[in-house]
Amino acid sequence: MKKSSKIISALSIVLGVFCMISCKSSMVAGSQEAESLENTKKIFRMVNKNMNGMFISSTNENNPVLLFISGGPGVPEVWLNEAYAKEYPNELSKYFTVCWWDYLGEGLSYDSKIKPQEITLERLASDAHEVADYLKTTYKKQKIYLMAHSSGTNLGFYLAQTNKNDFYCYFAMGQDHNDQNRRYEEGYYFMKKVFEEKGDKKSLEKMNKLVTVLEDGTFKINNPEKIGKDWEEILLLAGCATTRQMKSDYKDIFKKQMSCKCYTFGERINFWKGKSLLGKSEYRKYRINPSVPCVIPVHFLSGYYDYTTPITLSKELYQTIEAPEKSFYTFHNSAHSPLWEENKLVIEAMLKHVR
């Protein structure tokens, strides 16, 4: 019965997608209260000739302003504040006026007319400048703060290397690394210990089918083109994925996102269409260049159990980069999302660097 229910639910979503394909975007510039998110407005405005959507969350608009760049790419994260309000309450808006920006092609900013090749690093960097300028003007700030998560850290890090006029500093949560193959190698050895300590032979066997470790220690991915989905399952089994407690992307991400009221039904459909669009984009191919010095302070925020973007690689990157100031914070009860998993400790760390 459970399997049948899943299939029926999936078919319903697919039908919904097909029904929405021919619908034109109804976005118009303006603002409205965001349903089911306290102290949050949903805003639409033109950014470089494309309509962008964003959520602004704040309990006091005199607070410092923070621009948040989501991961994925193409996976906005404001809905987590609604879906996980009880499990992982996020109090960031008590200390910052937070702009949860749905950048070009994702979430609120999805448009069927946008082509994957239009979404480049340079275009997103230009858009980020326009959004930052809007926030500085609106809230009368000389500069704002920058935070990025997961694959969004590719753009975030680039902005930290190139834009000192808009941002005071950059908070990197789950900073991505330019060597994607090593992501699997680092994860393998960490999760091997996790499974061995738990006596979880079944999960260990699943992981060992995906990779080969030769006698000389050489690490090899058996099927590089198809490992992504299977590796995500291993991360979930080890408690090393989005959160330590998350066990199913379908139940804990897809179903919860499709139930959130901060996005309308059509916007929820566009959320997943945007994820597909960004997955084909030019930006998706970009990887950071750590040899270029950062022009603003950089502060890493990493979960000890994060092997989506392995903490070991984030630490390695941290050691090599140049920045006017830098610091590294480890959150020992977190995987990939310490802002939610250990919210108070993350905010405490961030406030140390607020002017």
Side-chain angles (χ1 to χ4, degrees):
M1 286 296 291
K2 287 184 179 179
K3 190 171 182 180
S4 297
S5 297
K6 284 184 181 179
I7 293 171
I8 292 169
S9 297
L11 285 173
S12 297
I13 296 301
V14 171
L15 288 172
V17 171
F18 282 123
C19 289
M20 293 297 297
I21 285 176
S22 62
C23 295
K24 294 182 179 179
S25 173
S26 59
M27 294 187 296
V28 293
S31 129
Q32 62 192 68
E33 293 300 317
E35 190 173 349
S36 298
L37 288 173
E38 293 183 359
N39 306 304
T40 301
K41 294 179 180 179
K42 184 189 290 188
I43 294 175
F44 293 96
R45 63 177 287 106
M46 295 300 293
V47 176
N48 281 333
K49 297 181 180 180
N50 279 90
M51 189 69 76
N52 275 209
M54 58 194 78
F55 293 85
I56 308 288
S57 299
S58 182
T59 58
N60 181 349
E61 293 187 350
N62 292 318
N63 282 338
V65 176
L66 177 74
L67 174 61
F68 186 94
I69 299 175
S70 61
V75 183
E77 297 175 52
V78 68
W79 66 273
L80 294 170
N81 299 334
E82 177 187 342
Y84 290 98
K86 292 183 179 179
E87 296 95 328
Y88 303 116
N90 187 352
E91 298 185 345
L92 194 62
S93 64
K94 289 184 179 180
Y95 304 92
F96 294 88
T97 292
V98 188
C99 174
W100 302 87
W101 173 39
D102 288 12
Y103 55 76
L104 182 69
E106 70 167 5
L108 296 178
S109 304
Y110 174 80
D111 191 311
S112 60
K113 295 178 182 178
I114 300 171
K115 305 300 180 187
Q117 57 269 27
E118 295 178 51
I119 309 175
T120 63
L121 172 74
E122 293 76 16
R123 172 59 192 272
L124 293 181
S126 176
D127 288 357
H129 167 68
E130 283 215 10
V131 173
D133 199 48
Y134 160 71
L135 294 171
K136 290 190 296 180
T137 301
T138 301
Y139 298 102
K140 298 178 173 59
K141 305 294 184 182
Q142 183 179 359
K143 293 184 182 182
I144 64 173
Y145 294 84
L146 175 66
M147 186 175 196
H149 184 209
S150 196
S151 69
T153 60
N154 288 299
L155 174 58
F157 198 85
Y158 178 78
L159 292 171
Q161 293 172 315
T162 59
N163 189 329
K164 63 181 179 181
N165 295 320
D166 289 329
F167 307 110
Y168 284 118
C169 71
Y170 165 50
F171 297 108
M173 179 170 63
Q175 175 64 52
D176 207 358
H177 192 273
N178 57 357
D179 189 341
Q180 292 299 292
N181 287 333
R182 287 191 58 209
R183 170 194 176 212
Y184 298 105
E185 185 172 1
E186 295 292 318
Y188 173 80
Y189 287 111
F190 183 84
M191 292 188 289
K192 183 173 183 287
K193 289 181 181 178
V194 170
F195 294 140
E196 288 175 342
E197 288 172 1
K198 292 194 301 182
D200 188 350
K201 294 181 180 179
K202 186 177 180 180
S203 296
L204 185 56
E205 287 175 3
K206 281 186 176 181
M207 184 170 68
N208 282 331
K209 289 179 181 179
L210 303 179
V211 302
T212 299
V213 180
L214 303 178
E215 290 185 7
D216 63 359
T218 302
F219 181 86
K220 179 184 176 184
I221 300 169
N222 293 339
N223 194 340
E225 299 300 320
K226 296 183 179 180
I227 193 172
K229 184 179 178 181
D230 292 332
W231 195 256
E232 177 67 13
E233 182 183 351
I234 303 301
L235 290 169
L236 288 163
L237 290 169
C240 296
T242 302
T243 72
R244 288 192 68 192
Q245 302 304 317
M246 190 173 288
K247 300 302 178 186
S248 167
D249 282 350
Y250 174 75
K251 290 180 179 179
D252 298 323
I253 295 181
F254 180 75
K255 285 186 70 175
K256 287 185 180 294
Q257 193 280 329
M258 287 301 295
S259 300
C260 283
K261 296 180 180 178
C262 59
Y263 287 99
T264 66
F265 178 74
E267 289 165 352
R268 283 175 237 155
I269 297 297
N270 284 343
F271 182 105
W272 297 104
K273 290 162 76 174
K275 181 179 184 298
S276 177
L277 173 66
L278 265 295
K280 303 169 187 172
S281 69
E282 290 299 308
Y283 171 61
R284 179 71 178 85
K285 303 172 186 176
Y286 175 73
R287 293 290 176 263
I288 64 168
N289 180 358
S291 65
V292 177
C294 294
V295 295
I296 59 174
V298 175
H299 308 291
F300 284 60
L301 310 167
S302 291
Y304 178 78
Y305 292 90
D306 184 2
Y307 280 85
T308 299
T309 52
I311 183 174
T312 48
L313 296 183
S314 293
K315 285 182 176 178
E316 185 178 292
L317 175 64
Y318 170 77
Q319 294 294 335
T320 63
I321 64 170
E322 292 183 33
E325 177 190 346
K326 62 180 183 177
S327 56
F328 195 103
Y329 295 92
T330 300
F331 298 91
H332 294 276
N333 292 308
S334 293
H336 192 46
S337 306
L339 178 60
W340 286 272
E341 296 175 274
E342 295 182 81
N343 184 249
K344 290 184 179 180
L345 291 178
V346 170
I347 292 173
E348 184 181 299
M350 293 172 68
L351 291 176
K352 291 178 182 179
H353 306 286
V354 172
R355 299 185 181 186

